[in-house]
């Protein structure tokens, strides 16, 4: 048995459009051509795909079964063509983004979605970790581009571009009674503080640790669960904390005489690495994300 992609296209479009005429309009051919292609496919298969009357066509049971097989074949063929086109155009074949788990948000997702939209055949990989892991993945070549919270000193081997700014808020479980949403420094010191692991590994513990006792985690969303469970307080990007605040699981509070911290997200890649079109597509879009302050 032999069949062509044109025959499968005519068949699938007829099923989805409901008639040869409507399918012909979508494909850009005469309805008689579409009808003939479907008829030839039926001859090749040895059974009818449609029951025909003077005014309409109706998909047969066998036709319904074959539609579910024909559709993926056309999708695979389209991907094959996209891949061939990308090879001819010397487009990038892969893009790996290492994403700080505290940077996860819809705006960042739209940036790597744009890469996939522009290069449909590209092998896209998203790795999630903490700041130190991401720096390691970039250095080792595991990832092409990283996106982190800028809170540690820059390194000569990295090229860094600033993305959106965001403010940090102090959060604690709503089970803890806080008058006027403010605590003095002595009261804060008595509550365990949940710190990001990279703060310890990068020597930032002294700059950010306030409490006498600390708990350490390397995942922002796990820290949110720990705060919700009443294990302690933490400083967290406001856009991550907001859904928990709205649901009544946590509350924010001010620390008397403490400064309000504003951090920035940074896009990083090895200075020695050539920026290919996929990397540039992500970087350019990520640099335009609006501040979250």
């Amino acid at each position: 048995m032999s069949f062509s992609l044109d025959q499968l296209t005519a068949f699938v479009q007829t099923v989805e459009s409901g008639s040869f005429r409507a399918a012909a309009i979508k494909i850009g051919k005469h309805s008689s051509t579409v009808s003939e292609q479907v008829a030839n496919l039926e001859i090749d298969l040895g059974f009818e795909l449609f029951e025909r009357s003077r005014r309409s066509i109706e998909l047969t049971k066998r036709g319904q079964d074959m539609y579910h097989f024909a559709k993926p074949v056309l999708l695979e063929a389209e991907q094959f063509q996209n891949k061939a086109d990308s090879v001819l155009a010397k487009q990038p074949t892969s893009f790996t983004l290492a994403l700080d788990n505290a940077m996860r948000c819809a705006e960042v997702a739209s940036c790597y979605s744009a890469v996939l939209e522009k290069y449909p055949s590209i092998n896209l990989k998203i790795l999630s970790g903490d700041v130190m892991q991401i720096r390691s993945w970039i250095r080792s070549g595991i990832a092409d581009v990283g996106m982190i919270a800028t809170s540690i000193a820059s390194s000569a081997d990295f090229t860094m571009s600033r993305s959106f700014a965001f403010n940090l808020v102090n959060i604690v479980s709503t089970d803890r009674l806080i008058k006027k949403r403010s605590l003095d420094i002595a009261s804060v010191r008595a509550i365990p503080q949940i710190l990001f692991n990279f703060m310890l590994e990068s020597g930032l513990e002294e700059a950010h640790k306030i409490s006498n006792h600390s708990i350490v985690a390397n995942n922002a969303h796990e820290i949110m669960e720990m705060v919700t469970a009443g294990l302690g307080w933490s400083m967290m990007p406001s856009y991550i904390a907001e859904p928990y605040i709205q649901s009544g699981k946590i509350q924010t509070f001010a620390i008397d005489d403490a400064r309000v911290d504003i951090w920035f997200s940074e896009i990083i890649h090895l200075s020695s690495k050539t920026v290919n079109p996929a990397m540039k597509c992500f970087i350019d879009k990520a640099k335009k994300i609006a501040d979250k302050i």
Side-chain angles (χ1 to χ4, degrees):
M1 181 191 73
S2 63
F3 57 83
S4 69
L5 290 177
D6 284 343
Q7 289 175 333
L8 293 185
T9 299
F11 168 53
V12 169
Q13 284 293 345
T14 300
V15 173
E16 295 179 350
S17 303
S19 71
F20 295 130
R21 183 175 182 276
I25 293 173
K26 285 192 174 182
I27 298 172
K29 295 182 178 180
H30 293 294
S31 59
S32 59
T33 301
V34 173
S35 176
E36 182 179 351
Q37 287 175 330
V38 173
N40 288 335
L41 178 59
E42 290 174 319
I43 292 172
D44 291 337
L45 292 171
F47 54 81
E48 291 186 343
L49 299 169
F50 295 99
E51 291 182 358
R52 296 163 173 81
S53 67
R54 292 184 62 182
R55 294 187 176 181
S56 64
I57 58 173
E58 184 176 345
L59 195 64
T60 64
K61 177 62 171 65
R62 285 177 173 177
Q64 182 69 40
D65 291 339
M66 295 307 296
Y67 168 76
H68 293 298
F69 283 89
K71 183 74 171 180
V73 172
L74 292 179
L75 292 175
E76 289 289 339
E78 182 180 2
Q79 291 177 359
F80 179 85
Q81 185 62 57
N82 288 337
K83 183 65 176 179
D85 291 342
S86 69
V87 170
L88 287 173
K90 297 182 179 180
Q91 293 177 349
T93 59
S94 66
F95 174 64
T96 300
L97 171 67
L99 185 62
D100 183 344
N101 54 63
M103 299 292 98
R104 286 166 49 192
C105 60
E107 292 85 353
V108 173
S110 71
C111 294
Y112 57 74
S113 296
V115 175
L116 195 58
E117 182 178 349
K118 189 170 184 178
Y119 306 104
S121 65
I122 201 167
N123 294 318
L124 175 66
K125 182 184 291 185
I126 309 298
L127 302 177
S128 181
D130 65 17
V131 173
M132 302 308 289
Q133 286 176 310
I134 289 166
R135 290 167 68 92
S136 175
W137 288 335
I138 296 294
R139 282 197 175 98
S140 64
I142 292 175
D144 300 305
V145 175
M147 197 161 183
I148 61 174
T150 178
S151 53
I152 55 181
S154 60
S155 177
D157 56 346
F158 288 138
T159 295
M160 308 183 77
S161 303
R162 180 168 289 182
S163 184
F164 62 94
F166 58 93
N167 62 305
L168 297 180
V169 291
N170 305 315
I171 56 172
V172 71
S173 169
T174 50
D175 292 337
R176 187 176 295 273
L177 179 61
I178 297 180
K179 296 180 179 180
K180 297 182 179 179
R181 299 181 65 178
S182 180
L183 291 174
D184 58 51
I185 195 70
S187 298
V188 174
R189 290 187 188 278
I191 306 172
Q193 181 178 357
I194 307 173
L195 292 169
F196 284 95
N197 183 60
F198 77 86
M199 292 180 175
L200 278 67
E201 294 189 359
S202 58
L204 292 173
E205 181 179 6
E206 293 303 317
H208 295 280
K209 182 181 176 183
I210 297 175
S211 298
N212 297 322
H213 176 65
S214 61
I215 303 170
V216 178
N218 73 338
N219 186 296
H221 300 276
E222 189 62 34
I223 291 177
M224 293 303 309
E225 295 301 326
M226 295 168 75
V227 172
T228 300
L231 300 185
W233 74 279
S234 186
M235 290 182 285
M236 185 64 59
S238 58
Y239 63 90
I240 293 178
E242 189 59 32
Y244 291 81
I245 297 170
Q246 294 298 326
S247 66
K249 293 180 179 179
I250 64 169
Q251 59 185 320
T252 61
F253 66 94
I255 301 175
D256 292 351
D257 299 324
R259 72 178 190 273
V260 176
D261 283 329
I262 295 179
W263 286 9
F264 294 88
S265 57
E266 294 279 3
I267 312 148
I268 65 172
H269 64 85
L270 277 180
S271 300
S272 59
K273 186 179 182 70
T274 301
V275 177
N276 65 36
M279 294 168 63
K280 187 177 187 302
C281 177
F282 176 85
I283 292 170
D284 288 348
K285 191 169 179 62
K287 286 165 65 175
K288 296 177 181 178
I289 297 176
D291 293 340
K292 295 175 176 290
I293 298 176

